[in-house]
Amino acid sequence: MARSSARVRPEDRTRLASDGGRPTRAAPQRPSGLRLWLRRKKPWLRPMLFGAAGLALLGGGAVAVAAIQPSGRFAWLAQSVADTAADAGLTVGEIVVRGQQNTPKELIRAAIGVGRGDPLLAFSPTQVKERLESIAWIEKAEVQRHLSGNIVIELHERKPFAIWQHQGDFAVVDRDGRVVSADTLDAFGPLPLLVGDGADKRGAALYDVLKQEPEVQQRVQALVLISERRWNLRLYNGADVLLPEGHEAAAIHRLGELQRTASLLDRPVQAIDLRLPDRLVVRQQPGTEPPAPEHGRKARGSGRG
């Protein structure tokens, strides 16, 4: 038999049938049900679906480029696509903000940058997250944009820890020493007072030790850092407790024991020096006499008798 040089098309190939090996022609592949329905019943729906998919891809790409270069040459494309999508109904609906306690609401609104009815594609979760986390009160922000038009924002705020007095100015700081507010000092109730350069960064560790001696803590008005090296405890009665450099915890526990056994902090003292571990130096307030020891009073009384 002569071999034909013509190329056989797939639809003309034959296969062996199960009934005696007679060659039969393979049935042509029919389109799926959805494709057949779109082709016969809704011929106008296919181009519309492809157009919507293309618009979504174009809008997503434009918004992504604008997020990388918000003021670049592609920003106009993102804005144009966002406006077109807004005309089709893709707009901002409800904006939900959770976790807001101390952060001023006007700062949050300015960081979000959109309101109800604005184009949804003009809202960039990445950019809004960066703007929110640049606010001093906010440690972390989680931003979600839903196709329904709703925007959900979860805020994790820093907690106020102490008031820091520095070069005549006052500010509220968190445990890490970050300034979170310089205005609303009285809005958080009683807070520890830290005084001096560097006290904002190192005050939390000393305060945690002080809480272990409540009889001492309730008499302390301020933690004063001297020359960024060592601490003084300023008491409410005006007395200063001088702590040693690097051994503050041992000195505070020693002071607590002296208060329990001798009520040292309730006496009219001007300063208590604990810088030497084997010595206690107490300076009385001017015009006060130290109490005579018990054995001295007994000796004088027995002499008179």
Side-chain angles (χ1 to χ4, degrees), residues 233-279:
L233 304 180
R234 174 64 55 84
L235 307 183
Y236 280 105
N237 60 5
D240 286 325
V241 179
L242 286 64
L243 301 180
E245 181 180 354
H247 302 280
E248 298 89 351
I252 290 176
H253 293 318
R254 182 185 176 194
L255 184 62
E257 185 63 26
L258 289 171
Q259 174 61 22
R260 286 187 290 271
T261 58
S263 301
L264 179 61
L265 300 180
D266 297 328
R267 298 186 180 187
V269 298
Q270 189 175 19
I272 302 173
D273 194 343
L274 297 174
R275 289 178 291 180
L276 298 177
D278 57 347
R279 184 178 302 177

Side-chain angles (χ1 to χ4, degrees), residues 193-253:
L193 178 61
L194 309 176
V195 182
D197 296 340
D200 55 327
K201 304 293 185 182
R202 300 168 54 182
L206 182 64
Y207 188 74
D208 290 343
V209 176
L210 196 60
K211 289 193 299 184
Q212 300 175 15
E213 297 289 347
E215 295 183 356
V216 177
Q217 179 191 6
Q218 64 184 358
R219 291 169 171 82
V220 174
Q221 181 183 20
L223 310 179
V224 184
L225 187 60
I226 307 299
S227 301
E228 300 188 51
R229 294 176 54 249
R230 64 168 194 84
W231 292 94
N232 279 2
L233 304 180
R234 174 64 55 84
L235 307 183
Y236 280 105
N237 60 5
D240 286 325
V241 179
L242 286 64
L243 301 180
E245 181 180 354
H247 302 280
E248 298 89 351
I252 290 176
H253 293 318

Side-chain angles (χ1 to χ4, degrees), residues 4-304:
S4 174
S5 61
R7 179 174 298 178
V8 180
R9 296 178 301 175
E11 56 270 23
D12 295 333
R13 293 175 182 171
T14 60
R15 58 182 175 84
L16 294 178
S18 58
D19 51 348
R22 295 179 57 189
T24 58
R25 185 179 299 273
Q29 185 177 3
R30 300 184 62 185
S32 63
L34 177 61
R35 294 174 58 188
L36 186 63
W37 181 81
L38 290 175
R39 183 181 299 175
R40 293 181 177 179
K41 302 295 183 181
K42 304 290 183 181
W44 52 270
L45 193 57
R46 293 185 66 191
M48 177 175 291
L49 291 177
F50 283 116
L55 181 61
L57 291 175
L58 181 62
V63 171
V65 171
I68 299 175
Q69 288 184 320
S71 59
R73 57 183 178 177
F74 294 103
W76 64 269
L77 179 59
Q79 185 61 44
S80 177
V81 173
D83 293 339
T84 302
D87 293 339
L90 198 59
T91 58
V92 176
E94 185 178 4
I95 300 177
V96 179
V97 179
R98 304 182 182 130
Q100 183 274 335
Q101 292 183 352
N102 298 313
T103 308
K105 294 182 179 180
E106 58 270 16
L107 294 182
I108 298 177
R109 285 193 293 265
I112 294 175
V114 297
R116 183 184 294 270
D118 290 339
L120 183 63
L121 293 183
F123 177 87
S124 171
T126 302
Q127 296 180 25
V128 172
K129 173 182 173 67
E130 293 176 354
R131 290 198 295 264
L132 286 171
E133 292 180 351
S134 67
I135 300 175
W137 274 111
I138 299 177
E139 181 177 8
K140 181 181 177 183
E142 301 174 8
V143 183
Q144 297 179 354
R145 178 185 61 186
H146 301 282
L147 290 179
S148 61
N150 295 338
I151 295 173
V152 179
I153 298 175
E154 189 79 28
L155 301 179
H156 302 271
E157 293 186 338
R158 294 182 171 88
K159 292 181 171 53
F161 167 69
I163 296 177
W164 177 39
Q165 181 181 346
H166 171 66
Q167 296 181 357
D169 296 327
F170 293 86
V172 179
V173 297
D174 65 356
R175 288 186 60 90
D176 296 329
R178 183 184 179 96
V179 175
V180 295
S181 176
D183 301 323
T184 55
L185 300 181
D186 299 329
F188 312 105
L191 295 175
L193 178 61
L194 309 176
V195 182
D197 296 340
D200 55 327
K201 304 293 185 182
R202 300 168 54 182
L206 182 64
Y207 188 74
D208 290 343
V209 176
L210 196 60
K211 289 193 299 184
Q212 300 175 15
E213 297 289 347
E215 295 183 356
V216 177
Q217 179 191 6
Q218 64 184 358
R219 291 169 171 82
V220 174
Q221 181 183 20
L223 310 179
V224 184
L225 187 60
I226 307 299
S227 301
E228 300 188 51
R229 294 176 54 249
R230 64 168 194 84
W231 292 94
N232 279 2
L233 304 180
R234 174 64 55 84
L235 307 183
Y236 280 105
N237 60 5
D240 286 325
V241 179
L242 286 64
L243 301 180
E245 181 180 354
H247 302 280
E248 298 89 351
I252 290 176
H253 293 318
R254 182 185 176 194
L255 184 62
E257 185 63 26
L258 289 171
Q259 174 61 22
R260 286 187 290 271
T261 58
S263 301
L264 179 61
L265 300 180
D266 297 328
R267 298 186 180 187
V269 298
Q270 189 175 19
I272 302 173
D273 194 343
L274 297 174
R275 289 178 291 180
L276 298 177
D278 57 347
R279 184 178 302 177
L280 173 65
V281 179
V282 178
R283 186 165 63 248
Q284 298 284 330
Q285 292 182 359
T288 59
E289 293 292 337
E294 292 293 331
H295 65 274
R297 283 199 288 263
K298 291 180 180 179
R300 286 193 297 269
S302 60
R304 293 192 198 95

